[in-house]
Amino acid sequence: MDERAMRQSTSAARQPEDDPVEAQGFCARAGARQQSGDLPGALADLDQAARLSTSTAEASVYRGMACYLTGHNDEAVRELTTAIDLDPAAKGAHTWRGAARLMLGQVSQSIEDYSEAIRLNPEMPNGYVQRGVAYDHANDHAAAIADYSTALRLNANDFKARLYRAQAHSAREDYEAALCDLSAAIRLKPHDFRAYLRRAQAYYALEDYESALPDLDEAIRLNAQCAEAYFCRGRLRKRDDQTEGALADYDQAIRLDPSSADAWCERGELRAEMDQPEKALADLTEAIRLNPVCESAYEARSAVWADIGQDAKSSEDLEMAIRVDSVVIGGGAALSEQVAESGQTATRPSFIYDLLKAHFSPAPLDSLTITERRFPGRVRADLQRAIDSLFEQMTVLHFTGVRKQYAHSGVNFNQLVVRDRSDPALAVPPQYEQIDIGEAEPVRCLKEGLWLLEAQDRRFAVFLEPFEFMHRAFGNEGIRFQVATPNDEVGSKITQQFFRHLERSVEEARSYRGKILSLEQEAHGFSGTSTGIKVHKLRTVERDQVILSRQTLELLDRNVIQFVRQRPRLSKLGLSTKKGLLFYGPPGVGKTHTLHYLAGALPGTTTLLISAEQVGLLGEYMTLARLLQPSLVVIEDADLIARERTKMESVCEEVLLNKLLNEMDGLKEDADVLFILTTNRPETLEAALTSRPGRIDQAIEFPLPDEEGRAKLVRLYSRGLAVPEVVIQETVKKTENVSGAFIKELMRRAAQFLIERNGADEMNRDDVNQALEELLFSGGSLNRKLLGGPSASPDVE
């Protein structure tokens, strides 16, 4: 016979004189006795209620309650589950099973039970309070606060709801709200020590120590056996330098609760301050025994060991504190066991100080000389290649990453050679960042690292780290190299050789020389690789794709292509090799298109593309132009920053103009730098830019294409399509005074109409006319202007 059948059989055998009302009376009395602390009396009453009950489900509830009160929560869950199986509407069974499951750590199941109890009786305040407690255990304090608030709506005088809601507010660091609830709780029950204790803790969190102390005194007066209150008052007295009073409070807290690791730790720290190292060590050791993951106890004991000259033990405790801090918490006992066993199984952290001390031994660390050089972050790729090649020629004894937990403003070598017990520098795996240099593979650049090296029978060390570069000419981020060597002639020679190698690598600039570049404000793109300097892969534009008038092409060849080729001979003759050009003309006539052609037609020349909004970085652009020469510096839409001074609207605009003029003036005569500025509105340019030789040496007009040019453009942009010659000629006649960009869009639009004529394989005049209709009329005059069309619409037949 199964258990349920046995219970039903027992129920059937009960005597007729059994009284359910009397059974409920015993249950009620059991509750009262339990509240007053009379546990034996409560258990006796529950046993009597179960014996008298005529309902098997009700009897199971009473037995489950008794099991819960005696701590047999597994048995309580079984009894209460039986009650629910027999009577799913038994509210008490769901409530008590929720309590038992919460004690077993089954938080989500506990919340389900309390939710069912609330569904069965939504007007029961205690149900919301109990579910709120379960939500607090799940760290869902917002849900807990909502339940406590509902309980208070049903019963504004519910002391527990006030007390628990205050604790949930404190968990969310909303101490002001907590204080409101705790003050209300004290008004409801002025003789309950818990509200005073919690209010004192809220005051302490708000650093209102004067208000916290009277509440702690009152909590202790109301309950002289409250260890937590003594502990909190001891901490407060310690803060106020009331050493003897704090020590007495810690003593009492430990007497009342010897299992409190925090109390042992606090007393140990206090005894250390009182210069009682032996007693401090004893207290801190006990704190660690009680809580193997008490980080502050390890740190405090490490300091005590150091004070009495036990450096080895001090280091062991400091290592343990760091290991405890880095362990991923998996929960209470499991974590304690993990850390307790870690002395045998865990990897001990390496301290940079110890590594350096052993590396330079027997020379003391304070005898070293540290030399520093700083480089802009834009050249990280070249610096990485430099150190990779250099360290291949040296003996690398050790290499590691470096981390200091609290050094938010960066680390320098001086911090590495000092033993810092509060925040030691640790050896960690090195971190790298991928830098895109426009090649098949990015360069993997180290973010921070320390090398322990040997060369010329000398030990030395190199530390690399990023830093904030407080100079606008180089952006925000820089790279710092620090070299530590013995303070002698050989050490000085090693340092100078190291930095000369870095300088040569930066000057060679192999990563970016001869490429098409722009500076990036953002550190990363969607690819996930770092940019800093962006390498552009422009479309290839062949010579026959540059459709310009004969005169314009001749000027381009002589002033750009031939000038660059003749620079060496011009230099030998003592003539300037820098030059400034101005490309001007209406929008869409091919200025940018021509720049793409020139960038590809000047092998070995580095091209720097500067948009108008990046002129603030002009100083850094010019640094790169000098570094990577021969170079071509292109500033598009120059009229946005170089307009006539009288038309400027702010001082900032004039500052940018002066910056441009100064940079163009500041180039040496032998600088292999070619400036090309483009504009659609040459008449608005500042005279100081256009009327002084040495800044702009040649202006080249890009006019609207003539008839011959338009024919070439139609053929160029209709490649791959069958276009009869007659259609080409008609198109040329109908596109007088339009730009090359207009013809490009016209042919694309005509191709769409051709595609829409299913089966058609040759463009006809209707395709072109329909495209002209859309471009010239459907969009109005604004559309014509945007596309570089004629100011007056031609006839479309």
Side-chain angles (χ1 to χ4, degrees), residues 415-431:
Q415 294 173 288
L416 303 183
V417 297
V418 176
R419 184 184 289 277
D420 185 347
R421 299 189 182 281
S422 61
D423 185 22
L426 300 177
V428 296
Q431 293 186 36

Side-chain angles (χ1 to χ4, degrees), residues 315 318-319 322 348-360 365 368 398-405 411-420 423-430 448-452 461-464 484:
S315 293
L318 190 57
E319 290 171 3
I322 294 167
R348 296 176 64 183
S350 296
F351 294 94
I352 297 298
Y353 173 85
D354 293 334
L355 292 174
L356 289 171
K357 187 175 180 180
H359 178 64
F360 287 104
L365 295 181
L368 300 176
H398 191 75
F399 169 65
T400 181
V402 178
R403 178 178 73 89
K404 281 175 72 74
Q405 183 172 357
V411 184
N412 62 58
F413 214 118
N414 287 327
Q415 294 173 288
L416 303 183
V417 297
V418 176
R419 184 184 289 277
D420 185 347
D423 185 22
L426 300 177
V428 296
E448 188 174 78
L450 174 69
W451 291 265
L452 304 183
V462 173
F463 181 49
L464 175 154

